[in-house]
């Protein structure tokens, strides 16, 4: 996997409880502009502290827009629709 360094984001020393974070907002802008089709995240808790919030963000802001998300640590890939829908229940 090759990732443009301009598309690597983080929120160092910022609480994952906050819904507005510089890195997260930058990811949202990149996805909205169509500059990326896949969000690769090391773990769900890097996106949001609570799993249900991370899954909701991914469903509403990524999957519903025809994009894909992958969480490496949990081996979650939204391209596996059956698994993804099971996680949302």
């Amino acid at each position: 996997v090759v990732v443009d360094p301009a598309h690597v984001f983080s929120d160092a020393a910022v609480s994952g409880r906050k819904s507005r974070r510089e890195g997260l907002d930058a990811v949202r802008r990149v996805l909205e502009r169509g500059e990326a089709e896949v969000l690769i995240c090391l773990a769900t808790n890097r996106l949001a502290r609570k799993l249900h919030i991370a899954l909701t963000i991914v469903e509403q802001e990524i999957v519903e827009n025809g994009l894909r998300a992958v969480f490496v640590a949990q081996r979650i890939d939204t391209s596996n629709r059956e698994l993804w829908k099971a996680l949302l229940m």
Side-chain angles (χ1 to χ4, degrees), residues 44-80:
T44 56
N45 68 357
R46 301 296 86 206
L47 189 59
R49 287 286 176 229
K50 297 187 182 263
L51 178 61
H52 73 276
I53 294 172
L55 298 179
T56 299
I57 290 170
V58 169
E59 178 65 15
Q60 293 176 349
E61 299 183 29
I62 298 174
V63 174
E64 289 181 1
N65 290 311
L67 303 173
R68 177 180 171 202
V70 175
F71 293 97
V72 178
Q74 289 83 10
R75 297 181 178 161
I76 297 172
D77 185 340
T78 62
S79 68
N80 180 336

Side-chain angles (χ1 to χ4, degrees), residues 7-74:
H7 288 153
V8 176
F9 306 98
S10 67
D11 285 308
V14 177
S15 173
R17 292 181 182 177
K18 295 182 179 183
S19 63
R20 307 303 303 183
R21 303 187 312 264
E22 186 177 323
L24 180 56
D25 292 343
V27 166
R28 286 177 165 136
R29 286 190 299 274
V30 164
L31 294 172
E32 287 171 1
R33 290 191 300 244
E35 295 176 18
E37 297 176 0
V38 180
L39 169 68
I40 301 172
C41 197
L42 295 179
T44 56
N45 68 357
R46 301 296 86 206
L47 189 59
R49 287 286 176 229
K50 297 187 182 263
L51 178 61
H52 73 276
I53 294 172
L55 298 179
T56 299
I57 290 170
V58 169
E59 178 65 15
Q60 293 176 349
E61 299 183 29
I62 298 174
V63 174
E64 289 181 1
N65 290 311
L67 303 173
R68 177 180 171 202
V70 175
F71 293 97
V72 178
Q74 289 83 10

